[in-house]
Amino acid sequence: VVLLPGLAVDARGMRLGRGGGSYDRVLARLERAGAHPALVVLLYDTEVVARVPAKAHDRPVLAVVTPSGARRFTGS
């Protein structure tokens, strides 16, 4: 499991980060090494939104954990 920070996550499980790409680079290295950890983002309830922008290199998260509970995304 990799716990990721974020600014928001959408209904597809796409995470909006801070734009630096640090986590994207680490996740790409893990993938090249054959590792496929479960990606989980920790957010507040208000940070789960309808849609965030996503690029081709962005990876969806498996789940979001908020103060009101956890939600697993399908297709992740």
Side-chain angles (χ1 to χ4, degrees):
V1 173
V2 175
L3 297 176
L4 299 167
L7 299 176
V9 69
D10 68 17
R12 303 170 296 165
M14 300 308 295
R15 178 186 67 94
L16 180 64
R18 293 182 180 250
S22 300
Y23 284 91
D24 294 322
R25 288 188 294 277
V26 169
L27 296 174
R29 270 187 255 141
L30 288 171
E31 189 174 286
R32 284 192 302 272
H36 301 285
L39 305 178
V40 178
V41 63
L42 306 174
L43 297 173
Y44 291 104
D45 294 301
T46 57
E47 296 169 331
V48 179
V49 298
R51 193 150 182 101
V52 299
K55 297 189 177 177
H57 67 271
D58 291 331
R59 300 199 177 36
V61 297
L62 175 69
V64 60
V65 178
T66 67
S68 66
R71 176 180 172 192
R72 186 174 177 149
F73 298 102
T74 59
S76 296

